[in-house]
Amino acid sequence: MPPSTTTPTSRSRRTPAVARALASWAFCLSVACLCSEAAAQSAPEPEAELAPRLAIAPDARAFAALGQLDELDEALARELHESLERGARRFFLPTDDFELVASDVLSTSITSEPLYEGTLALARQWAEMGEEAFKRLQADDAIAHLERALQNYRAIDHDRIAPEEIAHTLLFLALSYLEEGTNVVRPLELMQEMILLDPTRRILPGYYPDFIVQYYRSARDTLFRELSSEGPSIEEAARSAELLSADYLLYTFALPTPGDETIAERTSQSAASPQQGFTVIAFLYDARAESFLPPETLSLLGLEPALLQNAANRLASRLAACVLLPDDEPLVNPDDLMASRGQGRLGLELGMAYASFLSVAPPLQSPFGNVGVGLGVSYALTREFQLVAGLQLLNSLRDYNGLLRDNFTTLRSWLGGRLAWELGPLELGIAASFELASLSDVRVFTDKSCIPAPDLLCPGDLGTRTYEMSAPLLGAHLNPRLSLRLTRSLWLTLNTSLGYYLSPVEEDLLNLPFSSDLGIRYRF
């Protein structure tokens, strides 16, 4: 046999194959480790949490006492307002705890809107026409024109960047209402807003009738009392924070100390006149919580720019500490029932209702009326959207043909949502809701000869059909609404609704409920 050409494999030749496998595994493992380390080094570090944005509200105002108004010119008034703003801004400038919003952001945000210029021109035209009508003693025309001007100014937030111009319009509008004489609440609200926007604008004895001067002083007293106890409007603060894209909004006011102003005025002619005291008060609005932190106050003996600047700076430091070093117990939203000045989330409505079923089936021949009362509740989630619920209790009237043997009762309840928009003193809204209705038994004549004397001609159920309403009716309805603001919290409302029952009465006897009601809504 020829010798084999195959080289025999010994044990020493098989061992290196295992070693090569182990080496390959170790090499792959080391490469994987290197790659993971490189990936970890190249991975971006987590972004640091951004500092909250804080803005100084443009509504910083220093209000002089009545006896000092004659000495307060426009330049000094502007210096006092700016001192409050400078003092607060100076505290937040060197810190990294807050991102301070630039002072020109609000003006840029408002004037950059596409409809700003056109709406402003239209508002100024209405204002000019209103002032001319007032000078011609045409109070009704003046009110109509000036209300339209005010509506257009507010639609573009012009009052936030040109308060003196709006205050001028508010003065003429308040005087027009006082001359017209039928609405005594509206001019008081207008004068409060005028004083807040332009504290230098005043109504002095001798230039105006005494009752107008008294309105002006009542408006001052009411405004100062509300600012010191309740602060700015939550709705206005929310709008300013939205325009500024701010998380926090700081308001500062300098107000005459209650009581000192009256004493100083009475003794203003005396050589030993007491010194007028002032209170500087600061409010911090938290946009996330939609509420104000508890205010901070500081008393001053005079109204001087340096004092106001230092006071605003100190109050800003106190409120900033409340944000940076919160208490152990977190702050909660204030109760809507307390000091909301009609800007709370909760609303309650009560009214008289009239309803009819537009769709009737034989033996009924025509729709008939129902009268009763309605109760509604609303809860605002945003400025434009509300959750709504309501009850309506109705009692039927006799139909035209006399086929209803007895009156019956309808209880309607609903739950849904409403979109609403405020246009000056008016509010337009429309709601869509699911409805659940319950009716008592409906008894209908099937024999018309029973109608003249049913108890005599058709005793019991003779000639009568009874529709038993054992199950509730499920449906939906649309509810347009028009509201007129009477006061800050009280509204006159007119509601209409049209619905459809998905589970109608037996043989579709009644459907398409239509109702209207007139009532009063109170917004807490």
Side-chain angles (χ1 to χ4, degrees):
M1 177 180 293
S4 175
T5 58
T6 304
T7 306
T9 304
S10 65
R11 182 180 180 88
S12 61
R13 302 256 322 178
R14 290 196 302 267
T15 302
V18 177
R20 284 196 299 269
L22 292 174
S24 300
W25 180 80
F27 176 76
C28 293
L29 183 61
S30 61
V31 170
C33 292
L34 290 174
C35 292
S36 62
E37 184 178 356
Q41 292 178 354
S42 61
E45 296 182 359
E47 295 183 1
E49 184 178 355
L50 297 177
R53 287 172 58 85
L54 183 140
I56 309 299
D59 306 78
R61 295 287 185 269
F63 297 91
L66 281 173
Q68 300 172 330
L69 287 176
D70 293 336
E71 305 172 0
L72 187 67
D73 56 15
E74 185 175 347
L76 179 57
R78 184 180 297 108
E79 175 66 18
L80 295 176
H81 304 332
E82 292 176 353
S83 297
L84 287 173
E85 182 178 355
R86 278 199 306 268
R89 188 173 292 275
R90 187 180 64 180
F91 173 79
F92 292 105
L93 276 177
T95 179
D96 295 330
D97 297 322
F98 296 93
E99 178 187 352
L100 189 60
V101 178
S103 56
D104 59 345
V105 169
L106 181 62
S107 177
T108 303
S109 174
I110 293 175
T111 57
S112 61
E113 291 294 326
L115 298 179
Y116 176 78
E117 294 294 340
T119 307
L120 179 60
L122 181 62
R124 286 172 173 168
Q125 290 178 5
W126 283 118
E128 184 178 352
M129 293 169 60
E131 293 176 17
E132 290 298 324
F134 174 79
K135 295 174 183 177
R136 294 194 299 268
L137 303 182
Q138 299 172 348
D140 292 338
D141 292 341
I143 290 173
H145 296 332
L146 292 171
E147 284 285 9
R148 290 189 179 94
L150 191 59
Q151 175 183 334
N152 282 276
Y153 281 136
R154 287 172 172 167
I156 56 175
D157 298 295
H158 190 61
D159 52 330
R160 303 175 194 277
I161 58 176
E164 293 83 4
E165 182 177 359
I166 313 303
H168 183 75
T169 300
L170 289 168
L171 173 61
F172 276 93
L173 183 55
L175 295 177
S176 299
Y177 271 109
L178 291 173
E179 183 173 338
E180 195 263 343
T182 59
N183 192 334
V184 296
V185 177
R186 181 68 171 151
L188 191 65
E189 295 178 346
L190 294 170
M191 284 192 180
Q192 289 183 44
E193 188 176 357
M194 176 195 74
I195 297 168
L196 178 61
L197 293 177
D198 186 5
T200 61
R201 195 170 295 273
R202 55 194 182 274
I203 295 178
L204 301 177
Y207 295 92
Y208 295 91
D210 290 342
F211 80 96
I212 295 181
V213 176
Q214 186 58 42
Y215 255 94
Y216 170 75
R217 295 189 175 185
S218 298
R220 273 178 60 94
D221 294 340
T222 304
L223 174 65
F224 295 164
R225 185 167 58 252
E226 290 182 351
L227 283 179
S228 60
S229 62
E230 305 169 9
S233 164
I234 292 180
E235 188 176 37
E236 291 297 318
R239 177 58 179 162
S240 295
E242 178 185 355
L243 291 170
L244 291 163
S245 299
D247 301 309
Y248 295 97
L249 196 62
L250 180 66
Y251 290 85
T252 51
F253 302 100
L255 308 172
T257 301
D260 288 356
E261 183 176 25
T262 304
I263 297 174
E265 182 184 3
R266 291 176 180 174
T267 59
S268 59
Q269 304 299 326
S270 172
S273 175
Q275 191 172 14
Q276 170 67 54
F278 292 88
T279 301
V280 182
I281 183 169
F283 298 87
L284 188 64
Y285 176 74
D286 186 345
R288 298 171 185 172
E290 297 184 355
S291 64
F292 284 97
L293 274 67
E296 294 287 342
T297 60
L298 196 63
S299 297
L300 299 179
L301 295 178
L303 203 62
E304 299 177 6
L307 290 176
L308 292 179
Q309 183 170 330
N310 292 333
N313 184 275
R314 182 174 297 181
L315 294 179
S317 67
R318 294 179 184 176
L319 289 172
C322 295
V323 176
L324 300 176
L325 301 173
D327 297 334
D328 294 335
E329 297 184 1
L331 293 174
V332 297
N333 289 338
D335 192 342
D336 285 335
L337 300 179
M338 297 176 56
S340 63
R341 296 194 298 168
Q343 303 297 336
R345 295 179 179 272
L346 185 65
L348 186 64
E349 186 173 341
L350 180 65
M352 302 298 296
Y354 177 86
S356 180
F357 295 95
L358 300 184
S359 174
V360 296
L364 292 175
Q365 297 179 358
S366 61
F368 52 90
N370 300 260
V371 294
V373 295
L375 176 67
V377 178
S378 62
Y379 186 83
L381 298 180
T382 66
R383 294 178 62 190
E384 293 84 15
F385 184 74
Q386 308 165 1
L387 291 179
V388 294
L391 291 173
Q392 200 173 68
L393 181 63
L394 303 166
N395 190 59
S396 66
L397 305 175
R398 297 302 300 271
D399 62 316
Y400 178 78
N401 304 101
L403 294 173
L404 278 176
R405 179 157 188 166
D406 299 318
N407 295 339
F408 66 92
T409 302
T410 302
L411 177 62
R412 304 174 65 193
S413 61
W414 58 86
L415 177 66
R418 174 183 289 119
L419 289 173
W421 302 269
E422 288 191 21
L423 303 174
L426 297 178
E427 182 187 76
L428 303 178
I430 184 168
S433 305
F434 290 104
E435 179 178 336
L436 198 65
S438 177
L439 282 70
S440 61
D441 292 346
V442 181
R443 304 180 69 201
V444 183
F445 287 121
T446 56
D447 186 354
K448 293 186 178 180
S449 63
C450 300
I451 295 176
D455 294 335
L456 179 62
L457 300 176
C458 301
D461 290 333
L462 185 62
T464 304
R465 179 174 178 180
T466 301
Y467 293 84
E468 296 182 356
M469 306 300 173
S470 57
L473 308 178
L474 177 63
H477 73 240
L478 289 176
N479 167 217
R481 186 180 72 179
L482 176 65
S483 301
L484 174 65
R485 181 173 55 205
L486 302 178
T487 66
R488 199 180 286 270
S489 300
L490 202 62
W491 297 73
L492 178 66
T493 61
L494 176 62
N495 286 280
T496 60
S497 70
L498 179 63
Y500 179 78
Y501 292 135
L502 304 175
S503 55
V505 182
E506 181 182 352
E507 297 182 4
D508 207 9
L509 179 68
L510 303 171
N511 210 331
L512 295 182
F514 174 82
S515 69
S516 62
D517 65 80
L518 181 67
I520 294 294
R521 176 166 63 101
Y522 185 82
R523 187 173 178 183
F524 292 94

